[in-house]
Amino acid sequence: MSQVLKVAMPKGRIYNKAAELFRAAGLPIPPEGEEGRKLVIPLPEANMEFILAKPVDVPTYVEYGAVDIGIVGKDVLLEENRDVYELLDLGIARCRMSVIGLPGWQPGIQQRVATKYPNVASQYFREQGQQVEVIKLNGSIELAPLIGLADRIVDMVETGQTLRENGLVEMTHMFDITSRLVANRVSYRMKNAEIQALCDSLHKVITAPAEI
Ligand code: PRP
C-alpha cells in the first residue's frame, strides 16, 4: 500500500484551474471544492489528502513537510523564497508581474512603490539601480497611486482590466508568472513513486494537444 500524498491547494483564483487540471489527470477532486468550509479533504480513492490553504502560505506548508506537494504561483515562490523543490510548470493562471503607474509619471526626489511583493520589488529596483521606498500592502494595490500613497506599484496583471478601469498604465513588464507544482525535499525522496506518478499524469495533460 503506497503512502497518502498530502497536497496543498491554493484557495482563490488558481483553485478552479488547478482542480480542472487534476481532474483531467484522472483525480477525483470533489465538486464542492473550495465552496465548502472544509479545509482538509480526504481523497481515499486516490490515496491523497488535499488541504485548502491561503496561496501565500502554500510554500510554508510544503517547506515544513506539513504537506508533501503544493500548487503555488511563481510570484509567491519568488516572494517567499522557501526551500521547496519546483517540479513542474503547470502553465495555468498565466499572468505577469509589472511596474505600474499613472500615465505621464516622472521620477521625483522621493520615490515610493506599493506592492504585495516587497522582496521581489526591492530586489528588482536594487538591480535597476533605483532608490525607492517599498511599501507593503495586502490587496487592492492599484489604489496606492490613485490616492497618493505611492508613485508606482509592482503588481500582477492578468487581463489588464483593473488597470484600465483605474486609469493606470503598465510601465515595465518584469516577468511572466504561472502556477507551479512544488514538493517538500524529503517527501520527494520518501514518496518519490507517488509524486513522480502524479507529475507524469499532470505533464501528459499539460502537453496534450488542445482539442479542437
Ligand atoms: C490581482 C492583481 C490585480 C488584478 C489583476 O488582484 O493584484 O489587482 O488581480 O487582474 P486583471 O489584470 O485581470 O484585472 P486580486 O484579484 O488577486 O486581488 P487583490 O490584489 O486585491 O488581492
Side-chain angles (χ1 to χ4, degrees):
M1 179 71 180
S2 59
Q3 307 174 72
V4 172
L5 195 64
K6 294 184 181 173
V7 186
M9 294 283 272
K11 293 203 274 186
R13 65 164 60 207
I14 302 177
Y15 181 84
N16 284 336
K17 290 167 185 157
E20 208 177 293
L21 203 59
F22 274 103
R23 283 193 196 102
L27 293 169
I29 309 288
E32 65 272 22
E34 61 169 357
E35 302 301 317
R37 292 273 162 178
K38 236 174 125 101
L39 298 174
V40 180
I41 304 174
L43 281 182
E45 53 287 43
N47 213 16
M48 289 169 92
E49 184 175 273
F50 277 59
I51 69 149
L52 300 185
K54 207 171 148 75
V56 70
D57 293 334
V58 168
T60 310
Y61 287 108
V62 175
E63 183 189 273
Y64 282 91
V67 294
D68 301 304
I69 57 173
I71 292 187
V72 61
K74 184 70 180 176
D75 54 321
V76 172
L77 280 180
L78 289 169
E79 178 63 24
E80 294 297 309
N81 202 21
R82 291 281 179 185
D83 183 21
V84 296
Y85 183 29
E86 199 176 314
L87 294 173
L88 198 58
D89 182 346
L90 299 172
I92 55 169
R94 202 172 281 279
C95 52
R96 53 195 186 270
M97 178 91 70
S98 295
V99 183
I100 293 155
L102 286 163
W105 172 82
Q106 293 291 329
I109 300 165
Q110 220 187 9
Q111 292 192 45
R112 291 196 301 221
V113 174
T115 185
K116 247 194 292 197
Y117 306 95
N119 294 327
V120 171
S122 299
Q123 187 183 342
Y124 174 78
F125 287 108
R126 210 171 30 246
E127 284 169 6
Q128 298 295 311
Q130 294 185 40
Q131 269 205 342
V132 303
E133 181 185 353
V134 172
I135 302 171
K136 164 89 198 284
L137 291 177
N138 295 298
S140 301
I141 315 298
E142 290 83 358
L143 256 182
L146 298 181
I147 61 163
L149 174 67
D151 312 281
R152 292 174 291 171
I153 62 173
V154 165
D155 202 13
M156 307 277 278
V157 181
E158 190 176 1
T159 60
Q161 188 178 348
T162 312
L163 298 189
R164 282 192 297 278
E165 291 194 10
N166 290 288
L168 294 167
V169 290
E170 219 174 333
M171 296 165 157
T172 313
H173 172 170
M174 295 161 66
F175 38 80
D176 292 321
I177 302 286
T178 46
S179 300
R180 311 295 163 105
L181 184 70
V182 295
N184 171 270
R185 292 191 184 278
V186 176
S187 300
Y188 187 68
R189 287 202 307 273
M190 306 300 282
K191 299 186 181 178
N192 190 267
E194 294 85 347
I195 293 176
Q196 209 48 60
L198 177 64
C199 263
D200 291 347
S201 318
L202 290 170
H203 189 254
K204 265 192 205 130
V205 174
I206 297 162
T207 52
E211 283 172 35
I212 301 168

